[in-house]
Amino acid sequence: MKLTEVQQQAIQARMSLIVGARTYDRLFLGVTFDEVAEATLYAFARTEELAAEIEETYALHLSIVASQITGATVEFVQVLPDRLRQFD
């Protein structure tokens, strides 16, 4: 399921509340929450280092928030660097 723009913005807003403005700007600014497929949330960050830090530190938070917003079960979070994103 591709996430709508509203769902993406809702996830961004909730994560901003959870991590705070300074951390959000450092880690999540520019992150795209793309889709939920087979209980996995796929997201794209600016760099590989940011993707790794987000996935290691905030995967649980993201899975809970994404599950609540999308209504789909999200058990895993995969954050990839933006350069691996394939545009339709």
Side-chain angles (χ1 to χ4, degrees), residues 4-61:
T4 66
E5 188 174 338
V6 172
Q7 288 171 322
Q8 288 185 49
Q9 289 172 347
I11 293 171
Q12 291 168 345
R14 290 241 184 114
M15 288 309 297
S16 177
L17 287 172
I18 291 168
V19 304
R22 188 169 290 166
T23 301
Y24 182 86
D25 286 351
R26 185 175 67 80
L27 292 177
F28 290 93
L29 205 59
V31 171
T32 303
F33 299 101
D34 193 54
E35 69 178 321
V36 174
E38 299 179 16
T40 303
L41 171 66
Y42 291 94
F44 295 92
R46 295 181 309 245
T47 68
E48 193 170 330
E49 292 78 17
L50 290 175
E53 186 174 350
I54 291 167
E55 194 172 309
E56 289 173 14
T57 310
Y58 296 105
L60 178 61
H61 294 86

